[in-house]
Amino acid sequence: NMKVILLPSYCIMVTPGRRYGFVGRNGLGKSTLLKMISSGQLYIPPHLSVLHVEQEVVGDDTRAIDSVLSCDTVREELLEQERDLQRRLADSEASPELNDQLSAVFAKLQLIEADKAPARAAVILAGLGFTPEGQLAATRTYSGGWRMRLALARALFSKPDLLLLDE
């Protein structure tokens, strides 16, 4: 079950579950190649999700665990839809249509097991050395090395088909 990546004059065959590395002196284009793969400049089969970790997480008031959870955009969008529908229902806009929409959102959240996401994120963070208290700390409180660990946690949480790590 090989995956194919086409480069300008080359074809790279990769096997799922295997790890590959580009090794060479500085300035040979390893980072450029990873950027080209992640930006879609090179052909990657469209059914493959690609995530390129090259920068640390921005330091702000976002809690570490929330930073990891936010990378699940499908879950985040469904939760926002739920909040919006709940607000509208609370503002006495109750209608069968809104209730049906809310039920559909709940069903989708259940299908993607959204309720298990915080526990999964916590396990990943713990595996990277974050204490339970540290998982609740703002990202701005962490050094660059720890923010890079957060970026890696986000990558592991999102489970891409192709994970590109630069240095």
Side-chain angles (χ1 to χ4, degrees), residues 103-150:
S103 293
V105 168
F106 283 148
K108 289 177 186 174
L109 285 167
Q110 191 172 20
L111 184 67
I112 66 168
E113 298 184 321
D115 58 325
K116 295 180 182 177
R120 197 164 59 85
V123 166
I124 291 169
L125 286 168
L128 291 171
F130 288 85
T131 64
E133 300 79 27
Q135 293 178 24
L136 301 177
T139 58
R140 66 177 159 69
T141 64
Y142 286 106
S143 67
W146 282 94
R147 288 186 202 166
M148 187 53 86
R149 287 185 191 200
L150 274 174

